[in-house]
Amino acid sequence: MAKQQKGFVQYIAQGSLVKQILIGLILGILLASLAPEAAKFVGLLGTLFVGALKAVAPVLVWILVMSSIANHKMGQKSNIRPILFLYVIGTLAAAVVAVIGSVLFPSTLVLNVNEAEISPPQNIGEVLKGLLINVVANPIDALLNGNYVGILAWSISLGIALRHANESTKLLMQDLSTAVTQIVRIVIRLAPVGIFGLVASTIATTGFDVLLSYVHLLAVLIGCMVVVALIVNPLIVYWKIRRNPYPLVFECLRESGVTAFFTRSSAANIPVNMAMCRRMNLDEDTYSVSIPLGATVNMTGAAVTITVLTLAAVYTLGIPVDVPTALLLSVVSAVAACGSSGVAGGSLLLIPLACSMFGISNEIASSVIGVGMVIGVLQDSAETGLNSSTDVLFTAAACQAEDARVASEELPQR
């Protein structure tokens, strides 16, 4: 009996996290089907798990980025620029795919203009203004509110300043980084229990009946995201690493995308991506910056959501769309997506910005947001899964491409 208990504990602590998550998923669906009231109650487990991730993520980003930059050796290369380029290309390509999908399979909506008041940004200037305000936010306030733009700005600034600190100070930063990382690993091991609670409570509370009236819209949205995940992203990665990209693509979708699908927060999934990069032996100086940065600006799924829902509103109102306007919408959606927050439903508030291109009023655009919230059970989950898995995918591609380049340069010398 003692050996069986020991074996069970060892499996929980060291077994395949993906398999455990799938078990939690299946058990959550079964519980929601057989005992809906009990399923709603165990939703507390999901709330606690997501809360733990959101609590530890800001501290992790703050300490890890600051420590990485402070301990960065002069002359040691990092791959941030190539990764940023991949983020930009990937987000723009996702918006173009969404335009093509919407044109080939146009969707219409049932709009209710009596939605609750919201305060979306009115133009690109307001999005950029909001980003700049977040950069100079109080660091304590940034940590408390999960303002990752402000957290990155302060951690990068302090990291640069601490590069000239004493070795003992740098060693303390490394120890803090190790300690926070250990806490993160413990939280991540609780993912199966958290996802069990999230799935059970979500299905028991909302069910999927409400989604039936938006099957076509959901098919276009998720279809575009699947195309980006399985065709566009692999092409970008192949261009970068020059070999079969699918083993890396599937690994990122399986380990990062699945968790992000259920947490519905790119920010909350930062610890998961950090742990994955560590297991892949990527350069810590690179991923400690690129992963939190990606959770802030790399929003391929958000670009798809903004574009598809905007064009659905356009088709509903009978507004003609020409090719130049559609291409301009791709650019606007990509820029707006970079300004969306890494939390559940963060992209929806930017839909009025894209709608304004077509003269659609905020009142009607607010109704489009309402539609987004109705289908958010699947739409936002798929969007976040794509966003977060792409962060680690592009980071890994850039690091592996750099490793291959260095190896090819060293080979002739041998």
Side-chain angles (χ1 to χ4, degrees), residues 134-172:
N134 285 336
V135 167
V136 297
N138 181 285
I140 305 301
D141 181 73
L143 284 169
L144 290 174
N145 295 299
N147 169 15
Y148 286 90
V149 176
I151 291 171
L152 279 171
W154 278 97
S155 56
I156 291 172
S157 300
L158 287 172
I160 293 173
L162 288 170
R163 293 183 69 175
H164 304 288
N166 295 328
E167 289 302 318
S168 59
T169 302
K170 295 181 180 181
L171 183 60
L172 173 63

Side-chain angles (χ1 to χ4, degrees), residues 5 48 73 91 105 262 296 324 381:
Q5 290 178 344
L48 291 174
K73 305 296 182 183
T91 302
F105 307 99
F262 294 106
T296 305
S381 295

Side-chain angles (χ1 to χ4, degrees), residues 143-317:
L143 284 169
L144 290 174
N145 295 299
N147 169 15
Y148 286 90
V149 176
I151 291 171
L152 279 171
W154 278 97
S155 56
I156 291 172
S157 300
L158 287 172
I160 293 173
L162 288 170
R163 293 183 69 175
H164 304 288
N166 295 328
E167 289 302 318
S168 59
T169 302
K170 295 181 180 181
L171 183 60
L172 173 63
M173 298 299 300
Q174 286 184 328
D175 290 341
L176 284 173
S177 176
T178 302
V180 174
T181 300
Q182 185 60 36
I183 294 173
V184 168
R185 288 176 180 171
I186 295 172
V187 173
I188 291 174
R189 293 308 309 188
L190 299 174
V193 177
I195 287 174
F196 163 70
L198 286 171
V199 171
S201 62
T202 299
I203 295 178
T205 303
T206 63
F208 289 104
D209 292 341
V210 72
L211 302 177
L212 293 178
S213 59
Y214 292 107
V215 168
H216 183 273
L217 177 62
L218 272 170
V220 174
L221 272 167
I222 297 178
C224 289
M225 292 180 193
V226 169
V227 169
V228 172
L230 299 182
I231 298 177
V232 176
N233 283 351
L235 287 174
I236 295 174
V237 172
Y238 175 77
W239 166 76
K240 193 67 181 176
I241 64 177
R242 299 298 177 181
R243 64 174 184 272
N244 182 7
Y246 282 100
L248 180 60
V249 169
F250 290 138
E251 183 179 3
C252 293
L253 287 173
R254 184 178 67 250
E255 297 193 26
S256 174
V258 169
T259 309
F261 183 91
F262 294 106
T263 62
R264 296 175 62 191
S265 172
S266 296
N269 213 49
I270 287 174
V272 177
N273 284 349
M274 291 281 202
M276 185 177 175
C277 289
R278 189 177 301 106
R279 288 195 303 274
M280 297 169 69
N281 295 318
L282 303 184
D283 179 31
E284 186 172 351
D285 285 341
T286 298
Y287 73 72
S288 62
V289 176
S290 68
I291 293 300
L293 185 63
T296 305
V297 301
N298 182 39
M299 296 291 177
T300 50
V304 171
T305 296
I306 294 169
T307 303
V308 170
L309 285 176
T310 298
L311 287 178
V314 168
Y315 290 132
T316 300
L317 298 173

